[in-house]
Amino acid sequence: MLKFVQLKLSKIKYNGDSVGRDIRIEIDVFGKFLRIDKRIKTGTVAEMNQEVGRFETDRELFQTNILISVIEKDLLFNNTGSITDSIKVNTTDNQPQHFTFEIQVRESRSLLSRLFWGKRTAIFEVTLEALVGEIELYTPDIKDGWLVTRDKQDEFVSLPAYIMVHPTHIKNGREYFIPVEGVNRGELLSAPLENGNSSYLIHNVKHEPAISAQYSISEKVFILNGKKYKADDDSKNPWQKGFYDIEIPDYPHGGGLIYPEAVKGTVWFKIGYSGERYLHPGRVSAGCISITETTRWMEIYNAFIKARKGDFMSVGILEVID
Amino acid sequence: MNKKVFIIVIATITIFGCLFYWFWSYDNKVVSNGDVYVPIQPVIKWQEITVTEPESKIAIHINIPRVIIHNSDVNNEINLGIKRHIEYIKDYFIRDVIMAAIDNGETNILNIETEVLLSTPRLISIAFTSTENFTGIVNDNSKRTFMVFDIINNESLKEGNELFRDDVAWARAVTIMKKTILADYQGEPNCDLFFTPKQNGVAVSCIGVDYSLGGKHISLTKDMPISVIKGFLDPAVLADIQ
């Protein structure tokens, strides 16, 4: 299982003699570098909570060297101390893991000063915190809106765009991962590596807040972000007024292929958790809410596809009004 | 003298009457010829196509109809619609091979069997049965999809609502057909209905997934008698099908 290790500067404790109050901490770990300035006096603890870096690993023990420098900034003479050590993070432990390092900073003023004040030594306890978690990647938004994957039973499973997944491993040119949302949540799926070496999955997707939309039964319009879209429903199978969850798309609906102008016409959003009522492009309705302005379907798709309600299943809420 | 004038008036009225009737009939005839559709039975010719791509380990077999309607320019539209439908099936198959097939050295095979279920001067109804065999995967992946073409209006019928009295009748018929095709199915199907008219009946398929089987793909097909939806069909369409 591929995991991330997030390393944070948790706190600094200033003990021993006072060598000054303007402290700079520099931390260098596995190519990541943090520099932070802090005013702190001896005998106190400063909470920092600053990220040093985020690392990916598929090993049970993440081990790396670390260089920590503490500098007391003076106008003429900086007082410096540093330490080189290593940290070992157990990636099977999801609890925060703490590592404390002691760095001595000896005052290094002029010879005259030393005669009067002697050799002062400050002791800084620098505590780092390691958090272990599963890596989050996302399905891409490709041409027809579906990433075709394979499950453990060798069934084809299509995932819509921007589904958060946890990658587990790579084997025989395929990348394995587990979706954490949508109808395929928790299943182990795989996709080939694109061109044999790069992942189809993408980083740095930021889900957006849940979308609120309305459907007016009497006006036959779908209202989203202040825009109105001509729509249709089935008068013999009427909608009840009220609120419904709009779900993350479930599987490609072939009925959308007859509307090529809709572009991603096979990506339908189920309304409510039971039954088979969807929001989709279409001329007529047998119970769904069909967006008859099929050329504008992508406006709705783009608004919904990245939105999340926070329940791992829905993208927003539909209010059906008179 | 009065008798002569009377005969001349009568003769003139008769001549103008005849001329008026002749012109009136002629005009109507011209208008009628423009509006009334002269039915011509389409001719279907068949072609077998095999495409192999050894590098991609793909083989595709298609039997494809070519529709010919003499003295009509709708041929191109119909044949383009058929070609487009087959292209969709082919493109999705190739994508699935790339994304999900297991490369064991064997060839992935797609068969597209095309049937003309109804061919009248008004409608052409075609079924495409695509069977996919992916290497290394045990699957029974056969789907039946349809295309209906309205020859008179020169258009492919998307949802098929034009075949019914109105949209409400279409919705009722769709609901009934879906209940009928799922009547004997055990499980939790979630599928989209596709249908097309055929002689004295309707061919129906429902394609989707079954979440009680872990999201397994389902593709159900059934031929139903026309009596199932007879009451909802447009009378002109009903006359064509029966």
Side-chain angles (χ1 to χ4, degrees):
Chain A
M1 173 82 74
L2 200 56
K3 293 191 171 180
F4 73 82
V5 176
Q6 185 194 31
L7 206 57
K8 289 198 295 188
L9 170 59
S10 175
K11 60 185 177 185
I12 303 167
K13 189 175 179 185
Y14 189 171
N15 284 332
D17 301 323
S18 174
V19 292
R21 296 179 64 176
D22 295 316
I23 305 299
R24 169 171 287 175
I25 311 287
E26 291 179 350
I27 301 172
D28 190 347
V29 188
F30 207 60
K32 303 281 184 184
F33 184 77
L34 174 73
R35 173 182 288 152
I36 194 161
D37 292 328
K38 186 81 181 170
R39 243 179 115 72
I40 179 173
K41 60 182 181 182
T42 185
T44 61
V45 177
E47 298 291 337
M48 307 303 286
N49 203 30
Q50 293 281 326
E51 182 178 290
V52 180
R54 206 173 155 98
F55 312 92
E56 293 181 6
T57 181
D58 58 355
R59 306 209 169 170
E60 288 188 1
L61 189 69
F62 175 75
Q63 183 172 357
T64 185
N65 289 332
I66 183 166
L67 171 65
I68 303 173
S69 301
V70 179
I71 303 153
E72 192 283 315
K73 296 187 292 180
D74 261 352
L75 201 60
L76 292 175
F77 302 101
N78 283 348
N79 306 310
T80 307
S82 63
I83 186 173
T84 302
D85 207 328
S86 68
I87 52 171
K88 295 174 184 173
V89 180
N90 177 3
T91 63
T92 61
D93 184 358
N94 288 335
Q95 296 300 313
Q97 296 168 56
H98 295 96
F99 305 88
T100 301
F101 302 93
E102 192 178 286
I103 299 113
Q104 292 189 359
V105 177
R106 188 169 291 176
E107 197 169 44
S108 59
R109 291 182 181 177
S110 64
L111 186 63
L112 195 64
S113 303
R114 286 188 196 177
L115 289 172
F116 286 100
W117 290 290
K119 282 187 181 177
R120 294 182 175 192
T121 303
I123 300 165
F124 290 90
E125 280 181 19
V126 175
T127 303
L128 299 179
E129 183 182 86
L131 283 171
V132 177
E134 289 171 9
I135 285 183
E136 293 150 2
L137 294 176
Y138 298 84
T139 52
D141 193 5
I142 50 183
K143 192 179 167 190
D144 70 335
W146 297 100
L147 178 72
V148 179
T149 69
R150 206 171 68 206
D151 69 7
K152 279 194 287 189
Q153 287 78 40
D154 289 333
E155 279 278 334
F156 290 7
V157 174
S158 296
L159 295 179
Y162 307 126
I163 292 288
M164 185 196 285
V165 303
H166 287 155
T168 61
H169 62 283
I170 291 172
K171 189 180 172 187
N172 297 333
R174 294 189 73 83
E175 183 173 25
Y176 290 78
F177 51 85
I178 299 170
V180 295
E181 54 184 359
V183 292
N184 301 104
R185 186 180 179 196
E187 290 179 41
L188 180 66
L189 305 174
S190 72
L193 292 170
E194 199 173 10
N195 301 320
N197 55 21
S198 62
S199 173
Y200 274 98
L201 303 173
I202 56 174
H203 292 81
N204 301 327
V205 170
K206 194 166 166 48
H207 282 154
E208 288 158 8
I211 293 282
S212 291
Q214 283 185 320
Y215 177 67
S216 166
I217 301 168
S218 59
E219 289 183 43
K220 304 276 184 248
V221 289
F222 181 77
I223 304 153
L224 175 65
N225 296 332
K227 291 181 185 171
K228 290 186 174 182
Y229 300 84
K230 289 177 190 165
D232 198 13
D233 61 57
D234 180 7
S235 58
K236 297 284 184 187
N237 185 11
W239 284 84
Q240 299 298 313
K241 283 185 279 181
F243 292 90
Y244 300 82
D245 278 344
I246 305 170
E247 287 192 46
I248 293 168
D250 46 11
Y251 67 93
H253 293 262
L257 288 174
I258 56 178
Y259 300 106
E261 70 278 11
V263 186
K264 288 175 183 170
T266 61
V267 184
W268 296 10
F269 297 88
K270 194 173 176 184
I271 302 171
Y273 293 114
S274 58
E276 290 184 75
R277 289 188 188 239
Y278 287 88
L279 177 72
H280 65 81
R283 275 190 195 167
V284 279
S285 165
C288 298
I289 293 174
S290 302
I291 302 297
T292 56
E293 286 186 272
T294 51
T295 53
R296 298 179 67 197
W297 175 247
M298 282 304 286
E299 294 176 29
I300 295 167
Y301 171 89
N302 286 330
F304 279 143
I305 198 69
K306 256 190 193 177
R308 291 294 183 270
K309 195 184 160 201
D311 58 0
F312 302 104
M313 288 302 288
S314 315
V315 297
I317 294 170
L318 174 71
E319 183 184 8
V320 175
I321 57 174
D322 188 28
Chain B
M1 184 65 184
N2 284 344
K3 201 175 176 181
K4 278 185 181 175
V5 171
F6 179 75
I7 291 167
I8 289 167
V9 168
I10 292 296
T12 307
I13 290 169
T14 307
I15 289 164
F16 275 102
C18 288
L19 283 172
F20 176 77
Y21 177 76
W22 184 75
F23 277 117
W24 183 79
S25 304
Y26 180 80
D27 282 350
N28 273 358
K29 201 172 176 183
V30 169
V31 171
S32 295
N33 271 352
D35 277 353
V36 170
Y37 176 73
V38 180
I40 300 168
Q41 184 69 30
V43 175
I44 315 288
K45 291 195 173 179
W46 292 91
Q47 198 179 356
E48 294 277 340
I49 297 173
T50 299
V51 181
T52 53
E53 290 186 30
E55 278 187 22
S56 311
K57 298 187 180 70
I58 286 172
I60 301 170
H61 307 291
I62 309 164
N63 79 320
I64 185 168
R66 181 163 177 75
V67 178
I68 301 159
I69 304 169
H70 293 291
N71 303 322
S72 170
D73 55 0
V74 298
N75 296 328
N76 286 346
E77 284 297 316
I78 299 172
N79 292 316
L80 194 66
I82 294 169
K83 190 182 164 209
R84 201 176 289 136
H85 199 105
I86 286 173
E87 286 291 326
Y88 273 134
I89 298 170
K90 193 163 70 69
D91 289 352
Y92 278 93
F93 171 73
I94 292 169
R95 182 198 62 177
D96 290 351
V97 168
I98 293 166
M99 295 300 291
I102 296 167
D103 186 1
N104 63 0
E106 294 175 5
T107 302
N108 300 279
I109 299 166
L110 168 66
N111 276 305
I112 306 175
E113 284 295 324
T114 314
E115 305 159 76
V116 177
L117 299 180
L118 186 73
S119 172
T120 74
R122 182 184 302 272
L123 292 172
I124 288 224
S125 162
I126 297 168
F128 303 85
T129 305
S130 56
T131 309
E132 299 170 330
N133 287 293
F134 295 98
T135 57
I137 296 175
V138 180
N139 63 325
D140 178 19
N141 205 352
S142 182
K143 287 180 196 151
R144 203 174 193 212
T145 52
F146 309 108
M147 187 188 116
V148 193
F149 201 90
D150 180 338
I151 297 169
I152 296 170
N153 295 310
N154 192 12
E155 64 173 359
S156 181
L157 303 184
K158 287 179 182 286
E159 306 269 10
N161 53 318
E162 301 88 342
L163 301 170
F164 294 84
R165 290 199 314 262
D166 52 36
D167 289 352
V168 174
W170 169 86
R172 295 281 67 69
V174 164
T175 306
I176 291 167
M177 286 188 281
K178 192 159 185 180
K179 275 185 184 166
T180 308
I181 198 169
L182 296 176
D184 300 326
Y185 186 84
Q186 304 292 317
E188 288 176 37
N190 186 329
C191 60
D192 304 331
L193 192 86
F194 301 89
F195 68 91
T196 197
K198 56 180 288 188
Q199 198 65 49
N200 280 318
V202 59
V204 182
S205 72
C206 209
I207 300 171
V209 295
D210 184 336
Y211 289 114
S212 69
L213 300 174
K216 189 178 167 61
H217 291 249
I218 55 168
S219 176
L220 311 172
T221 59
K222 196 177 182 76
D223 288 340
M224 298 178 194
I226 199 63
S227 56
V228 173
I229 55 165
K230 190 175 179 176
F232 305 106
L233 284 167
D234 183 292
V237 172
L238 184 59
D240 256 30
I241 297 173
Q242 280 186 317

